[in-house]
Amino acid sequence: MATVITVAQQKGGVGKTTVAAQLAVAWAKGSTVALLDIDPQKSLSAWYKVRQSVLGAEAGGLFLSDISGWRIGTELDRIRRRFDFIIIDSPPHAESDARVAIRSGDLVVVPIQPSPIDLWATRATLGLARQEKCNVLLVVNRLPPRSRLSGLMVSSIREMGLSVAETVLGNRIAFAVSMMEGRGAVETAKNSTAAHEILSLAAEIAYVATNG
């Protein structure tokens, strides 16, 4: 039975789709992984098409379903037993679809950039998750090099009574380059800091999702 991870953030521009794709590739190294793209922008689907053009129709062992948000329940019932992980890339602004996606996840992963404004803007997503009684893990993303913001952000988040991942993702060129190639950093730069960060985050999310 699959572990369902919903990547959600109603504030746009935080790297939500990049996090979803990078986690998928990291987990695909030893597990079966499906992606559900319900974001109308279809950025994850575009990345997947590039991946297919590079790696062939099987896309390096990843499966993607491009569906409307209201079909999540039916699609999960159809594929849940076929995969170890299912990642839902949810829309940033459509509250009804985002709510369904959040409700469907075993864990809601919320990427957040290291700034107070981003933290404040995340309250809408956290409110949806709270209403649906879902477990949430915030992930600090795109941390600038040599920044002191990580510790401050993590402290602020914890003071709000929220869970935040120990692993922080830096603002790494390796993530962007790999996305343009339809791959993940663990494939294109396997010894890079970016690859180590996403592998660490993938292990942490998997543990939190299965152990509460």
Side-chain angles (χ1 to χ4, degrees):
M1 185 70 72
T3 298
V4 180
I5 305 296
T6 296
V7 183
Q9 174 58 283
Q10 292 205 280
K11 183 185 183 301
V14 298
K16 174 177 62 66
T17 296
T18 296
V19 170
Q22 296 290 334
L23 285 172
V25 175
W27 279 323
K29 290 300 180 183
S31 305
T32 54
V33 183
L35 293 157
L36 301 188
D37 186 4
I38 67 167
D39 188 338
Q41 296 179 8
K42 299 302 177 189
S43 299
L44 189 61
S45 297
W47 169 82
Y48 187 80
K49 288 178 182 177
V50 175
R51 186 172 180 84
Q52 286 183 310
S53 71
V54 173
L55 300 178
E58 295 186 356
L62 292 180
F63 168 85
L64 180 134
S65 182
D66 175 356
I67 61 172
S68 301
W70 62 271
R71 293 180 53 205
I72 288 177
T74 301
E75 188 67 1
L76 285 176
D77 288 342
R78 187 177 74 86
I79 68 173
R80 192 185 294 269
R81 296 187 181 279
R82 293 169 48 194
F83 297 96
D84 299 314
F85 291 95
I86 298 174
I87 303 171
I88 303 173
D89 188 16
S90 64
H93 303 301
E95 180 173 326
S96 59
D97 285 354
R99 184 183 297 276
V100 174
I102 286 171
R103 184 186 305 145
S104 301
D106 296 310
L107 179 68
V108 180
V109 171
V110 182
I112 179 172
Q113 293 188 119
S115 80
I117 292 174
D118 281 74
L119 181 56
W120 299 331
T122 300
R123 288 173 179 167
T125 305
L126 297 176
L128 281 178
R130 192 176 301 112
Q131 290 170 20
E132 298 300 327
K133 298 180 173 58
C134 295
N135 292 328
V136 174
L137 184 70
L138 278 76
V139 174
V140 178
N141 188 33
R142 294 177 174 167
L143 183 73
R146 296 179 295 278
S147 174
R148 296 177 57 245
L149 282 171
S150 175
L152 295 173
M153 282 288 292
V154 169
S155 296
S156 296
I157 292 168
R158 287 179 174 157
E159 286 173 6
M160 294 169 64
L162 302 169
S163 297
V164 58
E166 296 288 344
T167 305
V168 172
L169 299 181
N171 193 16
R172 311 287 179 195
I173 293 175
F175 288 133
V177 170
S178 66
M179 292 295 289
M180 292 189 67
E181 298 177 7
R183 296 174 181 259
V186 297
E187 297 171 317
T188 60
K190 66 174 78 174
N191 294 319
S192 66
T193 301
H196 291 303
E197 285 176 350
I198 200 66
L199 286 171
S200 175
L201 181 63
E204 185 174 353
I205 289 173
Y207 178 85
V208 172
T210 54
N211 292 276

